[in-house]
Amino acid sequence: MSFFEESRRIEALVFILFTLYPLTLNFFFGYFSMMFAFTLSLFEWDILTPMRFVGLRNFYEMFLEIAKGFHELITSPTLVYLREPFFNGLKNILIYTAMVVPVQTLLALVLAVIGNQKIRGSHFFRVAYFLPATTCPVIVSLIFIWLFMKDGFINYFVSALTAGFKPDWLNDPNFLLPAIAIVAIWGTSAHFSVTFLAGLQALPREVYEAARIDGANAFNRFVHITMPLLKPLITYVVVLGTIGALQMFDLAWVMAGSGGGPGGAGYTIALDIYNTAFIQLRYGYAAAKAVLLFAIIFTLNYYVQKKLEFARVV
Amino acid sequence: MTTQGSPEKGKKTSSTLILAAAIVILALIVGAVFLLQRPAPTPSQTVVIRFAGWSAGETEMKSYQKMIDLFEKQNPNIIVKYEVITQMFSENILASYAAGAAPDVFYLDSAWAPTFISKGAVYPIGDKLPKDFVDQFYPFLLEPFKGSDGKLYGVPKDWSVLSLFYNKKLFAQAGVPEPTESWTWQDLFNAAKTIYQKTGKPGLVIHAEFNRWLPYLMSNGAPPPTFNSAADAAYFDNPAVKTALTNFITLFQQGRKEGWIVIPSDVNAGWSGEAFGKELAAMTIEGSWMIPYIADQFPNFKYGSDWDLSLIPQGSSGRATMAYTVALGVNSKTENIDAVIKFLMFIEGPDGQRELVVKMGHTLPSIKSLANDPNLWPSHAKELSNIGKYNIVKVFFYGPKTGDLEGQFNQVLQAAVRGEVSASEALSLLKTKVSQSFKG
């Protein structure tokens, strides 16, 4: 009894030792910077001179910009990106999230189901499609810039399917954001499929066997058994995917440039926060924008989790 | 007493363990804080200065290290720590100011200089430098580094200038005579059209960037731009600016439709240098940085026999070009100002520039006398000999918001070139950008 007590104490000690390090890091780089950003949003600061308290002025200015953006969207939609870049970034990132999250989740699920089959070479495919998740996004986007060229590899196939039509992916405002979305989907669905694969392998076989005996085919088994059982994981993937998509920076930075590329089509709110802080040297205003992004992410995820509440494992 | 399972003993052992662990952690934290705060042990009276720069490649870094070693040998009581920041240089330096860990001496781009100077972040080194040292430099290159108090806050380490580059083979193929010193902009446009008609290759590739278009604007009567407040948005109401910009945009839109003038992405190139090096266009207006790039990436495309450079054409009000420069700025809070000044004078003086600028061939020396150095690349020597023939050599800085404004202007000009906005809409947008950027 006392031996176990002692070993439990050692266990507790080891627990403290192991968690102290990540907790310290998490506090300084997570919570502290978050609190600092919230505070900063009430100040005007350019790093080189002392901070100046401005109250809610940054937020007032931000909402004014959003209002102007809506007005611009109605009166002259083609000039929104030139007149109201912040609003354009906000609009783009919402469209981008709507494009990326459903597709990446579905694709991840399909990839996981394929990877879960007991067929020859499945192990090879699991490794092969997990590779993108291990590659640096900047390198991935550099390679895709080359693949997306007008006479590039992707258009070689696209033109065959569209009777010779070749979209100018990176220079046409209508195709730039979808191009970035394609790269993001390609890079992230592999990562999430591993999550699904782990979930699939933990599912009880008996349920499937019973369904098979009852005469359910593969599709029915997927829709009526796999999907409902995987719902907690689907929530997890949708939440993480949404956070990642709304904060997207690296792909846009490389594929569109800091200005968002042609027609500002690749401009995102994270790029705008970067430009406001580092180019315009308005750190307080950039922090206010970051707070808005936080609010959007928080609300959306709260909504997603609420919507999928029934899926929680009791 | 020897029983292992005795509860008291167990308690004692584990509390001792916890105590020991707490002491170890505390010692680690204290040690880390101590190490971070304590400067590296140095021999008595030896000072350490930190020097931060970006790099144009490994050769450049090696050359700098070589010169630093030489400097340290000549000055045994000074140690120079060379820190290369490869990406987002000025942003990194700013962040290091926030952390109170800014380097003692660092590259200061002309576009960023006003920001650093106006906030008191850099030292007025003009007060410390001997007059005859400062007098060695091209005077116009010192302009961006002068504060509103008239003091000098940086001395250029090197510089680049825009020139007209042309492909001799394509000119010959089209039967068009090569550019001369008397060329006007109209001659350039005519040549570009003819070359396109005869060879099928666009005559001129140029970025839709404000600083690349300024030679055209200024040579046609537009004053050199300076934006110090929202009121300076009126620059775009100046009749000469309005006319020149409208003409250039209209011409660009027309030329792009017809195919004789293009932006780099039109010919699947990342920038003008690549388009010119790959011989996808006959002419371009680019900076001196294109010369080493061509030599390095396209060794078979040779200066003199395959391509040459010429003066940028003249307009109705003379001839203008743009200069780009980077100075060495000194942290105003440096504790070793004398050592830093000594180092700065060594790196930027004739010996330093001969090794780091002339021999490397990346840029042009900022010391006038080095224009006649036998080691200077012939193409660089030609650029330097042309300088005197320009009425205006405008250094790339338009006031405290240069970097921000240039980015915003370019977006508007790119939209104009693509035909998304008309010339008059572009002018009004440019005005808005100036007034908006001074709002915050």
Side-chain angles (χ1 to χ4, degrees), chain A residues 3 31 57 77 80 114 148 165 191 225 250 265 286 309:
Chain A
F3 169 75
Y31 292 105
R57 209 190 72 186
V80 170
I114 296 171
F148 272 123
F165 172 69
H191 182 83
I225 302 175
D250 38 16
E309 202 171 28

Side-chain angles (χ1 to χ4, degrees), chain A residues 145 149, chain B residues 205 207 209 263-275 278 280 286 293:
Chain A
I145 286 181
M149 282 195 169
Chain B
V205 57
H207 284 276
E209 285 181 12
I263 51 173
S265 63
D266 289 342
V267 287
N268 266 327
W271 70 294
S272 299
E274 187 188 341
K278 286 183 174 165
L280 302 170
E286 262 305 329
Y293 169 82

Side-chain angles (χ1 to χ4, degrees), chain B residues 7 45-46 63 70 78 92 142 170 184 187 205 213 217 269 286 295 393 403 423 438:
Chain B
Q45 288 181 330
T46 299
S63 303
L70 189 66
I78 304 174
N92 263 301
L142 300 174
L170 285 173
T184 62
D187 293 326
V205 57
W213 293 16
L217 300 188
E286 262 305 329
V393 181
F438 283 100

Side-chain angles (χ1 to χ4, degrees), chain A residues 16-92:
Chain A
I16 292 170
L17 278 177
F18 274 109
T19 46
L20 203 65
Y21 174 65
L23 276 179
T24 319
L25 282 187
N26 197 24
F27 176 75
F28 281 110
F29 294 103
Y31 292 105
F32 173 74
S33 21
M34 204 166 83
M35 286 185 295
F36 185 65
F38 274 107
T39 320
L40 195 57
S41 67
L42 305 173
F43 285 84
E44 184 86 51
W45 190 38
D46 64 3
I47 280 192
L48 299 171
T49 45
M51 288 183 178
R52 198 160 51 87
F53 183 75
V54 290
L56 293 174
R57 209 190 72 186
N58 287 329
F59 289 95
Y60 169 73
E61 195 180 326
M62 185 172 72
F63 287 114
L64 208 64
E65 264 197 62
I66 296 176
K68 274 196 216 152
F70 272 114
H71 176 254
E72 204 68 44
L73 193 66
I74 299 161
T75 49
S76 49
T78 49
L79 297 183
V80 170
Y81 83 98
L82 290 172
R83 292 213 173 110
E84 300 300 333
F86 170 59
F87 178 81
N88 177 46
L90 197 60
K91 183 192 80 181
N92 282 347

Side-chain angles (χ1 to χ4, degrees), chain A residues 234-286:
Chain A
I234 295 176
T235 315
Y236 168 80
V237 166
V238 169
V239 167
L240 278 193
T242 315
I243 295 175
L246 287 168
Q247 292 181 333
M248 191 270 286
F249 178 85
D250 38 16
L251 296 179
W253 173 269
V254 180
M255 290 179 70
S258 61
Y267 201 63
T268 73
I269 190 164
L271 274 181
D272 192 77
I273 292 172
Y274 172 84
N275 285 338
T276 311
F278 291 105
I279 308 293
Q280 297 169 15
L281 302 184
R282 299 187 64 194
Y283 289 86
Y285 192 31

Side-chain angles (χ1 to χ4, degrees), chain A residues 2 6 9 13 17 20 46-49 79 81-83 151 171 173 259 262-263 274 278-283, chain B residues 5 10 14 17-18 21 25 88 91 94 97-98 112 115 119 121 265 404 411 415 418 420-421 429 433 436 440:
Chain A
S2 54
E6 185 180 330
R9 275 174 185 278
L13 178 73
L17 278 177
L20 203 65
D46 64 3
I47 280 192
L48 299 171
T49 45
L79 297 183
Y81 83 98
L82 290 172
R83 292 213 173 110
D151 293 310
N171 297 308
Y274 172 84
F278 291 105
I279 308 293
Q280 297 169 15
L281 302 184
R282 299 187 64 194
Y283 289 86
Chain B
S14 48
L17 264 172
I18 291 176
I25 292 169
M88 300 196 279
E91 290 88 333
L94 265 180
Y97 266 93
W112 281 82
T115 307
K119 313 283 182 196
S265 63
D404 180 22
Q411 230 183 2
R418 283 195 301 264
E420 290 165 15
V421 294
L429 277 164
K433 294 291 172 195
Q436 266 179 0

Side-chain angles (χ1 to χ4, degrees), chain B residues 271-406:
Chain B
W271 70 294
S272 299
E274 187 188 341
F276 186 74
K278 286 183 174 165
E279 303 190 55
L280 302 170
M283 286 180 280
T284 187
I285 291 173
E286 262 305 329
S288 318
W289 50 79
M290 198 178 86
I291 298 170
Y293 169 82
I294 299 280
D296 186 46
Q297 299 289 317
F298 307 97
N300 297 325
F301 186 47
K302 287 196 163 52
Y303 171 71
S305 54
D306 301 330
W307 67 270
D308 206 340
L309 59 88
S310 174
L311 288 165
I312 289 181
Q314 51 193 344
S316 55
S317 304
R319 198 191 294 279
T321 188
M322 293 291 290
Y324 303 81
T325 184
V326 173
L328 288 187
V330 175
N331 185 344
S332 56
K333 292 197 176 72
T334 182
E335 286 165 2
N336 305 306
I337 186 69
D338 293 330
V340 170
I341 293 286
K342 218 177 220 181
F343 175 67
L344 188 145
M345 285 176 69
F346 175 79
I347 287 291
E348 300 204 327
D351 294 339
Q353 286 208 29
R354 200 169 287 125
E355 190 68 34
L356 295 166
V357 183
V358 174
K359 280 192 191 165
M360 299 264 307
H362 284 153
T363 38
L364 308 174
S366 52
I367 287 183
K368 288 177 275 184
S369 61
L370 288 176
N372 306 316
D373 194 282
N375 281 319
L376 202 66
W377 291 19
S379 47
H380 288 334
K382 187 165 183 185
E383 281 199 319
L384 286 173
S385 70
N386 280 342
I387 291 305
K389 295 168 189 160
Y390 288 101
N391 305 80
I392 304 173
V393 181
K394 164 77 183 155
V395 180
F396 177 49
F397 93 110
Y398 325 129
K401 306 263 180 181
T402 305
D404 180 22
L405 283 176
E406 176 68 19

